[in-house]
Every structure is written in C-alpha cells, then in structure tokens.
Amino acid sequence: MATPQIKTILYSYWRSSCSWRVRIALNLKEIPYEIKPVSLIKAGGEQHSNEYRELNPMEQVPALHIDAVTLVESLNIMQYLEETRLHRPLLPSDVVKRAKMREICEVIACGVQPLQNLSVLIHVGEEKKDEWAKHWINRGFRAVEKLLGSCAGKYCVGDEITLADCCLIPQVFNARRFHVDLRPFPIILRIDRELERHPAFLAAHPSNQPDCPPEAHK
C-alpha cells in the first residue's frame, strides 16, 4: 500500500512579505502547498492564539508544515527547501555569488523588513509610522542598490533567479505601500520589472491570496 503524502501547509498572511517570499520559493520549486491564512489584524490577532503559538513561538508568520515537521522563519524555511528539494535550485553554484546572494537576503530580511513590520509600526504609532518606514526602507535600499551594482545580471545575482529575488520583490511592494521614491534605485526597479509578470511571482502576489480582502483589489 502506498504511503499517503503528507500535506504541505503554509501558515500565511496575504500582505506579509515574509510569507510572500516563502510563497515565491515554493512556487519556483513547484512544491504543491495549501495556504492556511493567519489574520494579523483580527481582534487580538490570530498569530497570538494559543493554537498558533504552538506552531510559531514568535507569534509571527510564516510557518510551514512540511515533511511532518513545522518550520518557522522565512530564510530558514527557504534554506530547508533548497536542502531537501534539489530541483530548480535557488542558490548559485559559485561560492562567491552565493555569499553575495546571502548579503542581499540578510540586508532585507534582517536590516529592513523587521523595522517596518506590523508589530513595530503599531509600537511606533499611527502618526509616525509612515515616516519611520520610509526612513528604514530608504536606508536599506541604498545598501541593496550598492550591493546589486557588483553582482546583478538579469536578476539580483547574475542571470538566474535566486533567494535574493524572493526577498527583494516583496520589499519593493512594501516600499510602494509607504510611498518611497524608488527612482534613486534603478537596479532594484529594473529587477522588479523583470519579475513582475513571472508566473511564480504573480501567483505569490498578495492580491492573489485567498485571504486578500476585496477592497485591496481596488
């Protein structure tokens, strides 16, 4: 008798850039998965429920249930996918290019995104949140643009899509959301244009998620 396949479930919020980058990686690697929405804005926040805290003690999205284990933290999840699903690699084979890719991922995932996520903006307050987010996104994008100047080809690192692209595109969306002027970042803009119609990126876009509210499509 065939062993039943374990369903892959992504606990995700439609506008979460961390969830988004994992959705892109899953799509690029053609891994079937089911979305289980976790609302970050419902009264009390579903991420703070006892049930979800058992999955992710940080009370954040995403969490990925795969291969009978539950993983948290987007970079960790994407690295696991690379180590267990060798087809359609998202890491450069060249060791220097791989290091440059990790630089871009970490600048975005550690130096930019955490400073403008929901919990931080709530703490900063309604009046100052836009100014705060724009400041940190601009600071981070100046660094990313500089790094891309030495390693970008068609995409972030050469001419193959990597995990750096999975991290960059959601952050460009966030920059536009906070009305950041992207004209000083021509390489970032060029890569965004290159990938905006890619099927894996399109399918992962917030507007194509099951929990995207109708008003967000307007």
Side-chain angles (χ1 to χ4, degrees):
M1 182 182 296
T3 303
Q5 281 200 327
I6 299 168
K7 186 181 293 185
T8 298
I9 301 174
L10 178 65
Y11 295 82
S12 171
Y13 178 64
W14 67 283
R15 201 167 61 186
S16 156
S17 56
C18 296
S19 300
W20 187 352
R21 60 179 77 128
V22 173
R23 294 194 301 260
I24 295 170
L26 287 164
N27 293 343
L28 286 167
K29 296 184 81 65
E30 299 181 342
I31 301 169
Y33 64 100
E34 175 185 313
I35 290 277
K36 185 164 184 180
V38 178
S39 175
L40 306 185
I41 61 171
K42 276 187 181 176
E46 291 180 348
Q47 74 275 26
H48 301 307
S49 69
N50 291 334
E51 179 186 5
Y52 189 71
R53 193 181 298 115
E54 288 298 312
L55 297 173
N56 189 341
M58 278 295 286
E59 303 174 31
Q60 297 173 339
V61 288
L64 183 70
H65 184 74
I66 189 170
D67 301 337
V69 298
T70 300
L71 304 171
V72 301
E73 297 298 329
S74 59
L75 294 187
N76 172 59
I77 291 169
M78 294 192 296
Q79 186 66 42
Y80 177 85
L81 297 178
E82 278 297 291
E83 292 172 352
T84 59
R85 273 74 176 172
L86 302 182
H87 65 293
R88 299 187 180 275
L90 298 175
L91 293 177
S93 56
D94 178 81
V95 67
V96 174
K97 288 183 177 180
R98 191 173 292 200
K100 301 305 290 184
M101 182 213 72
R102 289 195 176 110
E103 285 179 348
I104 295 164
C105 288
E106 291 195 24
V107 168
I108 294 169
C110 303
V112 183
Q113 181 274 321
L115 291 163
Q116 37 95 87
N117 69 13
L118 181 62
S119 60
V120 171
L121 295 180
I122 289 172
H123 184 76
V124 169
E126 190 67 28
E127 289 186 6
K128 295 184 177 179
K129 70 175 187 178
D130 284 4
E131 177 188 354
W132 170 275
K134 287 171 76 170
H135 169 79
W136 292 109
I137 293 170
N138 270 304
R139 182 177 183 270
F141 270 13
R142 285 194 293 270
V144 171
E145 185 78 8
K146 178 73 172 176
L147 292 170
L148 290 172
S150 67
C151 66
K154 187 176 181 181
Y155 305 115
C156 284
V157 182
D159 295 331
E160 301 295 329
I161 295 173
T162 68
L163 295 181
D165 301 289
C166 299
C167 290
L168 178 65
I169 300 309
Q171 187 55 60
V172 175
F173 177 92
N174 284 347
R176 291 193 173 107
R177 180 182 163 210
F178 290 108
H179 309 293
V180 172
D181 181 3
L182 292 173
R183 289 174 296 181
F185 312 117
I187 305 175
I188 290 174
L189 278 174
R190 177 180 59 74
I191 295 168
D192 183 64
R193 285 193 299 270
E194 193 70 47
L195 289 168
E196 64 181 353
R197 307 307 299 173
H198 189 290
F201 287 77
L202 269 178
H205 193 278
S207 63
N208 292 320
Q209 302 315 300
D211 54 332
C212 178
E215 58 270 21
H217 293 280
K218 297 177 182 178

